[in-house]
Amino acid sequence: MSSERPINRRFDEDVHFNSVSPGPPRYRTRTDKPVRYFTVADKEGGAALGYVWAGDEDDAAAWEPRQAAGPRALMEGLGWFNRLEKAKGRGIRPSQAIEEMLAEPATGKFGRALPDSLTDAPNAAVVEALAKGD
C-alpha cells in the first residue's frame, strides 16, 4: 500500500465558464456630465459616510464612500447600491432615484440621507474627489 494520496482526475479537466445572463440592469458608474449628489450621514454622531450621485445625461448613478469614514462607509454602500439597482430595474431616471432616496432618508444600516444636502457638481469626479479629500 502506497502512502501517496491518489490524485483527483478532475484537476486535469478544463474549466469552462458560461454566462447565463447579463445580470440586473444597472446605472453606469462613471460620467463626465453634470451630476447631483447628496450626503449620507452617520445615524450616530452625524459624520458624513459618503455621497450618492446621479446624472441623467449618461444614465449614471453611484455610491461614493467617504475615505475618512473607513469600513463603515464601505458597508453602508451596500444599501444605497441596492436601492440604485432597484430603481434602475423599475426604469426610472437616476435623478428620480435620488429624489426617492431623499424622500425616505433612513436607508442604510449606519446612515441616512442628510436633508437639504442635494447639491450640483460638474461631474462625478468632483464627488469622488470630495469623498477622498476630506
Side-chain angles (χ1 to χ4, degrees):
M1 184 165 177
S2 172
S3 63
E4 290 184 33
R5 295 179 64 191
I7 297 174
N8 188 332
R9 286 181 281 151
R10 286 195 278 165
F11 290 148
D12 290 330
E13 295 177 7
D14 289 337
V15 176
H16 298 278
F17 297 98
N18 298 319
S19 179
V20 292
S21 71
R26 293 188 176 120
Y27 297 116
R28 293 182 59 202
T29 57
R30 296 262 184 238
T31 183
D32 59 354
K33 307 285 191 293
V35 298
R36 301 194 84 196
Y37 70 95
F38 64 83
T39 303
V40 175
D42 197 328
K43 292 175 186 175
E44 298 175 11
L49 292 173
Y51 309 93
V52 177
W53 62 262
D56 288 343
E57 287 187 57
D58 282 339
D59 195 41
W63 160 257
E64 206 58 62
R66 186 172 159 252
Q67 192 170 16
R72 224 172 143 92
L74 293 174
M75 290 186 299
E76 179 66 18
L78 293 173
W80 298 99
F81 175 80
N82 286 334
R83 284 192 72 184
L84 288 170
E85 190 174 88
K86 287 177 184 176
K88 178 63 177 176
R90 293 191 339 259
I92 65 173
R93 293 188 333 251
S95 61
Q96 288 176 290
I98 64 170
E99 288 170 11
E100 283 182 0
M101 290 178 186
L102 282 169
E104 295 179 31
T107 297
K109 181 175 183 177
F110 304 112
R112 62 179 178 78
L114 193 62
D116 301 322
S117 67
L118 190 60
T119 308
D120 295 318
N123 55 50
V126 170
V127 182
E128 185 177 335
L130 177 65
K132 288 182 180 177
D134 46 45

